[in-house]
Amino acid sequence: MDHTAREDQTSAYAVELRFNAGGPAAFGAWSQPDVAEGKFTEWLGAYSRPGAVLTLTSLTGGIARLVKSWTYEGGLMTTGAV
């Protein structure tokens, strides 16, 4: 049985925190959306300071889709559901 099609559609959820635009970053990826959402919220609470950029991205079938982002200056922007 060929599992290629199913594997290509496997989703991952990535959270990236940049301490300032273009600066050092912390990154993590999880297979469960609720875990990634929790990490996004945790990092937002811990690192919300001027210059910080936080993103949550859904990765499915090799395609990345921004779900939400946050900056100190612009606040939370939601572009889709996980």
Side-chain angles (χ1 to χ4, degrees):
M1 179 176 209
D2 182 12
H3 296 286
T4 306
R6 186 172 47 169
E7 288 175 7
D8 287 345
Q9 295 304 311
T10 300
S11 294
Y13 306 90
V15 177
E16 180 179 89
L17 168 66
R18 290 211 173 265
F19 299 99
N20 53 56
F27 176 85
W30 297 269
S31 60
Q32 298 297 316
D34 55 331
V35 176
E37 286 269 5
K39 189 56 70 175
F40 183 93
T41 302
E42 177 186 328
W43 288 1
L44 177 58
Y47 302 106
S48 58
R49 53 185 54 102
V53 178
L54 184 62
T55 59
L56 172 60
T57 306
S58 171
L59 308 163
T60 304
I63 298 171
R65 182 179 52 84
L66 182 65
V67 175
K68 62 172 77 174
S69 63
W70 177 91
T71 64
Y72 185 86
E73 297 75 16
L76 182 65
M77 306 283 267
T78 304
T79 57
V82 178

